[in-house]
């Protein structure tokens, strides 16, 4: 007997059983209300007023960022050259030689390639 054929012909019964008939409430109040944990206890006048005061990783609606005052409002060349401050470096290769990477020894290469087994053999 083929079990998959028998299972395919069986009637599917859901594993969840609900009590009573499905019904939705006739009247649902959708008027905006202040959240119980709200610090001010009042609703904002409008979404625009809320967004003007909101912060998400920095100010959202301030004109300094959108009308040419910030990074996104001007071209990169108009912001001027980018030079590191004295004592700061952009790349590891620019550091003095004492901070450079050390060369691998043959023993370290052998230990890595053998998975550490050569250290105990």
């Amino acid at each position: 007997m083929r079990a998959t054929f028998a299972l395919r012909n069986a009637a599917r019964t859901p594993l969840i059983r609900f009590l009573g008939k499905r019904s939705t409430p006739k009247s649902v109040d959708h008027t905006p209300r202040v959240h119980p944990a709200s610090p001010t206890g009042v609703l904002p006048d409008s979404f625009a007023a809320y967004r003007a005061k909101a912060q998400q990783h920095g100010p959202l609606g301030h004109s300094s960022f959108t009308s040419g005052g910030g990074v996104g409002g001007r071209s990169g060349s108009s912001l001027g050259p980018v030079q590191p401050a004295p004592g700061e470096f952009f790349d590891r290769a620019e550091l003095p030689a004492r901070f450079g990477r050390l060369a691998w020894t043959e023993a370290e290469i052998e230990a890595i390639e053998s998975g550490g087994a050569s250290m105990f053999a």
Side-chain angles (χ1 to χ4, degrees):
M1 180 176 150
R2 296 185 304 199
T4 56
F5 183 73
L7 288 175
R8 187 178 300 163
N9 289 336
R12 182 185 173 279
T13 57
L15 297 175
I16 299 174
R17 296 180 188 241
F18 296 98
L19 300 175
K21 186 178 177 181
R22 185 183 307 181
S23 63
T24 57
K26 300 296 179 202
S27 63
V28 178
D29 185 21
H30 289 290
T31 58
R33 285 189 292 272
V34 179
H35 192 274
S38 172
T40 60
V42 295
L43 289 172
D45 298 333
S46 66
F47 182 72
Y50 160 76
R51 188 166 168 93
K53 292 183 282 186
Q55 296 236 354
Q56 178 183 8
H57 311 295
L60 289 176
H62 296 299
S63 61
S64 63
F65 285 100
T66 56
S67 65
V71 176
R74 298 186 306 201
S75 66
S77 61
S78 68
L79 294 174
V82 178
Q83 298 296 329
E88 293 181 357
F89 301 93
F90 285 150
D91 191 52
R92 189 179 200 164
E94 298 172 0
L95 291 171
R98 65 181 178 175
F99 298 112
R101 296 180 186 206
L102 299 175
W104 293 88
T105 64
E106 287 296 323
E108 290 172 328
I109 294 172
E110 181 65 29
I112 291 170
E113 288 179 349
S114 68
S118 65
M119 296 174 60
F120 302 103

